[in-house]
Every structure is written in C-alpha cells, then in structure tokens.
C-alpha cells in the first residue's frame, strides 16, 4: 500500500492507493451522491449517481468502483454531472410508484432526500405507473416492489453479510425485480433467517418491518457496518 | 500427432478426391429451404447412375448467396445451381455429362462473387464442416503446428501486432495489443474465450463461420491460448444456434481424437481444452463482462471496467476474449504472415470484413470484402441495389449500437474510422438496407425497443432511460409529441450514452441519434404544436408510458 496525492474539486488530498475515489471524497467531506453504495458490502456501480469527471478520461467514471491513482484530477460537481444526476432521479421517480405522502419511509428515504438535495422538484417524463405486487407473506417483514429502485443493496447484504443468499434479482430491464429464494413468497423462503439485514439496507420504503409506523422507519445502517467491521477486525475475540 | 501424420491425412484426403464434386450448402439458411433432401436425392441419384467412383456429393458450409438457396455448385467447372429442388437431382447428375439440368443456373462471375475477398470465409462452401480431414486438406492445423513447434509466444503476439488485425466484435480494439496484455498479465491460470453470442438483428456472420468452418475457430483459439499462456478455452455460443453448436461439438470431439486438442498437442508441452457454454437468450451477454458472469454460472449482468478481462476475467484470472470472426483470421495470418494481412485493407483497418447483407436488397447473403470497399460497391454492385425498382434510402450498420448511413454518403469506404465519423459503427457486420418506404423514426423506435427489452436492468440510465426514450419515440410516431418532447429525447440520448454502465446502454441511443442527424425532418414533420405554446389549448395530452 502506498500513499498517493490527487486533486478532487481543486482540493489536493492524500490517500492510500487502494482507496476508491468515493471513500477519499467522503473522508475529505466532499459529498458525492450515491444510492447503490452501502458501507460494508462491495460496490457495483449501478446507480450512476456517483459518476465523476476524471481529467484525461473521456468517459464518466463511478466514484465507488474507481480506484484512485497518483496525480488523478477529479471533478465531482460540474454542471454536466448535476444535470445527469437530476435526470437519473427523474427516471427513477417515473419508473415505479414513488408516492412519498403515503410511503412508510416518508422522511427517512434516501431517494426522497437525494431528490431534495439535487433540486429535483418535478419529473418531466411520463410516469410508467407499473402494477407491482406487495409481498406480505413474511411474518416480520414486507416488500413493496412499487418502491424498489433495484439498487440490490438487500441482495448484497443478504449474500455477503448474512450469507443466506435468499434475495436475488430476476427478470431483466424494466421487468427486473427482487425475489426471495427461487421466486417463492418471502414467507415460504426456507433460506431466509429473518435477520432483517435487507430491511436495514433498503434506501427506500420497498423493504419494511411490518406493523411499524412511518415515524419508526429509521434504518439501522450502523449495525450493518458494525457487523462487517467487527468481522474483518475480529473484534469479537477478546 | 506430428507433422508427417498431418500431411498424410491431407494427402490421403486429396488423393480420394473424385473427378466431379457436387458441393451442397449445408448452412442454416439453405437447410431451412430443404437443402438436406437435396443432398440426399443427389447422393441417391449418383448411386443410381452408377457414378459413385466419379462423383462426390459433399455437404459444405455457407455458399453466401442465401436468398437463392438451396445452392449446389458442381466442380471442376464451378456451375452454380440456385433454388435447387430435390426432384431436380437426377437432371443435375445428368448435367455433369452434358445433359440439361432442371435447376436455375446462377452466375458465379457476377460482382456478388467476384468482388469478394475470402480470408475468413476461405473454407466456407468448400470444406465439409463435419469432417476434420476436409479441414486438414485445406492446410488446417498447419498454423498451429508452426506456432507450437517453431515459434515462441512472443513471436506469435508480434505477428498479430504486425498484421494490424482489429477486433471484429464491433469496437475494433487492436488484437495484438489485447493478446500482449493478457500474455503479460501475471497469473498461473488463464483463459481464452470465443464470443459467439452474436445477437444484432439481421446479423449472421458468426453463425455462418461456425457452421461452415468450426475447426478454424478451434485452431485460432489454440494459437491464441499458446500466445497468452492459457490452457482452457470456452466458446460462448447462443442457444439460438443449435446447428453451429452441434458442429462445434463434433469438431471438438474430432480434434481431441486426433490429438489436436488436449494434452501435449503436436508433442509439445502445450495443453489446451475447449468447452462450449450455451447462452440463455440474453443479448447483453455478448458484452464481455456479462459474458464472463454467465460462463461462471451467474446472472449475466455487466460490471464496471477496469479491471478489464485481460487483467481480471473468468474467476479473477487473466482472460482473452475474442469474437468468432477475429479468431477465424488467426490461422490465415500465421500461415501467410502478418505482413501479408497488413497489405490488405486501409491504413488503419486491415484485412477483410464479413457482412451479412439483409433488408431491401436483391442479393441477400454473406459477403467478405477488403476493408475500405465503398458502401456503394457493396450495396449496388454486389447487392444489386433495391428490389422492384426501389431506391436505397439508407444503410444500417452496427445493429442496435450503430447508425443509419444515408444514401448520399454511400461512397464512404467501409472502415472503423469512416463509419465512426458518420455516427455509425463497424459493428459485428450486420448490414441492413432500407428503401424509400422505410420510416426512419420507426427504425429508431425498433432498435430502441430492442435495447429496452434487452437491457439487463442493472443501471438506471439504460433500464429506465430506454423505456422513456422508447415512449417518446412512440409519441412521435403517433404524432402526439411536441418540440419539447423531441428536446427531451435528445437530452436523454446524451444522458444515457454518457452515463450507462456498459456498451449496451452507451450505444443504445446511436440509431436514434444518427436518424436525427440525417433524417431530422421525418421527426419534425410528426410534431404537434405545443399545447402550452401560442396555439395550444393549455391542456396537456394524456399519455402514459408503458413499462
């Protein structure tokens, strides 16, 4: 591991060469918007909100999966990026049924917060209004596909923190959706340990604890991060 | 197997040649129009006429002029019979002795054939794809011997660099550079993958090569494996190509039996095995990172690059991925030298390119032409122009990632740079010709629908962006869109192109962008006045995007 120096938004910063641009920016207090990124699980670069401009590279690169290199010059907040981020959010809102006022996650939703932060005050595209079902077969948790943004955080948390492998993505394109086991109702998914990590990971109101009211929908991300860190650093061994 | 045995097989095969050979096209195109019965009837007729010692009936690969199938060609005179009926078999046999055949005569001297230059398709239509001896008789596996016994891996890479060959899958990455990178990547285990997941609408080059000359691919893969230090190969073929898969399986079995695949090939320390992996019907699996996920048995979705497969590919090992046509060029380059190959084509695009001619054109089928051949030569001379006195409006290359080249640019030479300048791409080789009746908005909508259906759904711009772009194109087609919608469409094209994760999304707007560039009037004439504009009624039209 070697120390490197790079420039992010005109600010010279030092970092380790194994770090992603996103983690360096976060250390430096430079906010790069993310939706599919989740501390504790590997990054997939799917939401495209963390795209940044890197001098000398003609493509936009996702900050979460791009490793920093010596002398790299990164811009995280240009007019072009802001425009693309806004469109990305508009596309998400038009894709499924994100109606904040009647959502369990209202006020605790990353998608909602992101839209506020990025100044997305209306959606210019026609809404798709797809008809997705809800899965309320599990005794403790529920899944509302209408709120899902397919960030696959739950899938990664289920496979790589809990190790259960219950959650998966099925279908393709706009028909992609999260499934449990081999497309069984969640309540019948034998591999599910009912650990609730997927619910902790969900950025929107797609996964929720049954019976909880809107006010109680606080996500517990620190638990996920704590488990992963404790495991890596063997903190349970006294 | 050693060289003398290889040469023995070749000599035996050549010595067994008969005075007359009837080559019957047994590729998927002709087989769909009853070529199998034609061949059976010809064989029967030969036996009945007692000419078994004089006439050989040989099933061969694609004879190129697919629209006139089933095709049969009689050697040594090269008489070409088109649209052969099984009932005409007897008369064809009689024609060899000067009788009159009850089958349409084709013209092998027409520009469709004479303008072609065969490297990739050199064996196609000549060699029996189901018999390894037939391939060996055409100097097959000589290049592999030369490489394994007389060259070191570096020299093979250098030869590929000299040849100037560029990837035929579409993007045109220099092959020598790719091989060199994989060769230099550290790792005890490496893989070679043949990408046979051809999926562009209207493209069938790779299928034809696999059906016509499967051993050329195996030889190319083995040479590549030796050059980069791999010992395991995979051919990723789409399930929609059962005949190609069948012939590949046969070819692998025969090559193994002859010791041309497996351990200690040609008594060298080089081991190489090839396995086939069959796709499950996803276009996106032609993208290399998605393809590798699929080979590993996972959901076929792409991942961000870097790391490139050359560094971290299958199961994290350095992996070389080349397209079918690219690999088919390898053995000829080794046999004739990189300099020879570099002498064909243009300055930056070397060699030949195989195109699948389809659409509103007289001669549909497969053509192989030197790089730099003007589109006009291909479409008008070789293709014979539009049928029924129509006029050509545009030529689409590159499938859903490419663009439409308008008729006034037909003098453009076919090479990577020139097509790129026109907003299209070389692509894998699909060439769809459109005539005056083609609606360009509809063309753009067709390709957008294709991308929308084939998007894997991983990244938002491609998954949700193609839905919205398709919806906007729908609105324009239905004459319900306004100038504002067109502006939204253009903005989305730019956004999806710049932000999508993989090539599918990054190129999905290309057909729309190129038709907007050359046929903008067709979009604009369908626009409605803006309801909020000076003549509008202030009420937005009620529409709903369909997911």
């Amino acid at each position: 591991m070697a120390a490197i120096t790079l420039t992010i938004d005109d600010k010279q910063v030092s970092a380790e060469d194994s770090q992603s641009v996103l983690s360096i920016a976060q250390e430096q207090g430079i906010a790069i918007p993310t939706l599919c990124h989740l501390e504790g699980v590997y990054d997939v670069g799917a939401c495209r909100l963390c795209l940044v401009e890197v001098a000398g590279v003609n493509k936009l690169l996702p900050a979460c999966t791009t490793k920093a290199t010596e002398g790299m010059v990164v811009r995280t907040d240009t007019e072009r990026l802001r425009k693309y981020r806004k469109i990305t959010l508009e596309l998400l809102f038009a894709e499924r049924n994100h109606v904040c006022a009647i959502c369990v996650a209202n006020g605790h939703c990353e998608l909602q917060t992101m839209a506020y932060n990025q100044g997305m005050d209306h959606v210019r595209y026609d809404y798709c209004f797809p008809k997705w079902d809800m899965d309320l077969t599990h005794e403790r948790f529920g899944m509302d596909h209408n709120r899902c943004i397919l960030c696959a955080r739950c899938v990664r948390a289920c496979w790589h923190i809990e190790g259960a492998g219950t959650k998966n993505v099925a279908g393709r394109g706009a028909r992609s959706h999260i499934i449990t086991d081999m497309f069984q109702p969640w309540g019948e998914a034998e591999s599910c340990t009912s650990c609730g990590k997927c619910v902790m990971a969900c950025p929107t109101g797609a996964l929720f604890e049954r019976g909880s009211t809107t006010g109680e929908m606080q996500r517990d991300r620190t638990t996920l991060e704590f488990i992963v860190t404790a495991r890596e650093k063997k903190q349970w061994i006294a | 197997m050693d060289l003398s045995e290889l040469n023995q097989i070749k000599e035996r095969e050549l010595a067994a040649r008969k005075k007359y050979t009837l080559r019957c096209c047994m590729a998927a195109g002709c087989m769909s129009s009853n070529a199998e019965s034609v061949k059976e009837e010809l064989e029967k007729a030969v036996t009945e006429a007692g000419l078994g010692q004089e006439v050989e009936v040989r099933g061969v690969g694609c004879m190129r002029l697919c629209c006139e199938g089933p095709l049969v060609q009689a050697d040594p005179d090269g008489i070409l019979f088109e649209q052969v009926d099984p009932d005409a078999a007897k008369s064809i046999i009689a024609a060899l002795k000067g009788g009159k055949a009850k089958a349409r005569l084709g013209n092998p001297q027409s520009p469709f054939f004479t303008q072609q230059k065969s490297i990739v398709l050199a064996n196609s239509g000549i060699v029996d794809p189901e018999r390894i001896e037939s391939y060996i008789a055409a100097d097959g596996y000589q290049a592999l011997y030369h490489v394994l016994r007389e060259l070191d891996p570096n020299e093979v890479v250098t030869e590929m660099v000299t040849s100037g060959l560029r990837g035929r899958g579409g993007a045109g990455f220099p092959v020598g550079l790719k091989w060199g990178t994989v060769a230099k990547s550290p790792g005890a285990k490496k893989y070679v993958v043949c990408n046979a997941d051809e999926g562009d609408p209207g493209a069938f080059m790779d299928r034809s090569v696999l059906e016509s000359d499967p051993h050329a691919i195996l030889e190319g893969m083995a040479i590549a494996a030796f050059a980069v230090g791999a010992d395991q190969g995979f051919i990723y073929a789409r399930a929609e190509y059962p005949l190609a898969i069948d012939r590949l399986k046969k070819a692998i079995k025969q090559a193994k039996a002859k010791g041309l695949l497996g351990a200690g090939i040609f008594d060298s320390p080089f081991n190489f095995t090839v396995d086939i992996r069959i796709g499950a019907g996803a276009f996106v699996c032609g993208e290399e990172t998605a393809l590798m996920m699929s080979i590993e048995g996972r959901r076929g979705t792409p991942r961000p690059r870097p790391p490139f497969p050359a560094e971290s590919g299958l199961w994290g090992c350095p992996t070389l991925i080349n397209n079918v046509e690219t690999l088919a060029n390898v053995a000829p380059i080794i046999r004739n030298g990189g300099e020879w190959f570099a002498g064909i084509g243009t300055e930056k695009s070397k060699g030949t390119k195989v195109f699948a001619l389809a659409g509103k054109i007289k001669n549909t089928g497969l053509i192989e032409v030197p790089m730099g051949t003007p589109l006009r030569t291909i479409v008008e001379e070789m293709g014979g122009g539009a049928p029924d006195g129509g006029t050509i409006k545009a030529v689409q290359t590159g499938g859903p990632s490419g663009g439409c080249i308008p008729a006034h640019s037909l003098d453009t030479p076919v090479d990577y740079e020139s097509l790129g300048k026109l907003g299209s791409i070389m692509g894998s080789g699909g060439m769809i010709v459109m005539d005056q009746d083609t609606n360009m908005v509809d063309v753009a909508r067709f390709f957008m629908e294709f991308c929308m259906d084939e998007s894997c759904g991983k990244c938002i711009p491609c998954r949700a962006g193609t839905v919205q772009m398709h919806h906007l194109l729908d609105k324009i087609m239905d004459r319900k869109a306004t100038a504002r919608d067109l502006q939204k469409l253009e903005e989305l094209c730019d956004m999806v192109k710049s932000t999508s994760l993989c090539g599918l999304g990054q190129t999905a707007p290309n057909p729309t962008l190129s038709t907007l560039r050359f046929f903008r009037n067709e979009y604009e004439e369908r626009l409605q006045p803006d309801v909020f504009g000076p003549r509008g009624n202030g009420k937005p039209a009620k529409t709903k995007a369909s997911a």
Side-chain angles (χ1 to χ4, degrees), chain B residues 344-427:
Chain B
I344 304 162
T346 67
E347 194 196 335
K348 284 187 176 168
S349 306
K350 303 295 185 194
T352 59
K353 179 77 195 86
V354 182
F355 288 101
L357 267 183
K360 296 291 180 66
I361 190 155
K362 270 185 203 144
N363 303 327
T364 55
L366 215 57
I367 56 158
E368 182 174 5
V369 289
M371 291 279 189
T373 306
L375 267 174
R376 194 179 296 285
T377 312
I378 296 177
V379 175
E380 290 181 356
E381 280 184 49
M382 304 175 74
D388 311 321
T391 48
I392 291 171
K393 183 175 181 181
V395 175
Q396 211 275 350
T397 65
S401 313
C404 296
I405 297 154
H408 63 73
S409 296
L410 276 186
D411 290 312
T412 310
V414 170
D415 62 61
Y416 291 96
E417 278 72 27
S418 305
L419 292 180
K421 265 184 221 151
L422 285 172
S424 187
I425 59 165
M426 172 76 78

Side-chain angles (χ1 to χ4, degrees), chain B residues 44 57 64 66 82 133 177 184 199 203 238 286 337 363 374 377 422 449 457 468 517:
Chain B
K44 236 189 267 172
V57 179
R64 298 174 179 67
C66 302
E82 296 174 346
E133 294 83 3
L177 185 58
K184 286 195 179 80
R238 62 193 302 226
N363 303 327
T377 312
L422 285 172
E449 188 179 355
Q468 291 295 345
R517 178 171 162 189

Side-chain angles (χ1 to χ4, degrees), chain B residues 2 52 62 68 76 85 98 147 162-163 177 179 183 196 209 223 231 246 265 272 280 303 344 383 428 436 462-463 530:
Chain B
D2 57 28
C62 182
E68 301 294 350
D85 192 274
V147 162
T162 312
S163 75
L177 185 58
W179 287 27
V209 172
I223 293 169
D231 64 355
D246 199 43
I265 300 168
F272 186 57
R303 60 157 175 80
I344 304 162
S428 58
Q436 73 285 344
C462 175
R463 181 183 77 224
D530 198 325

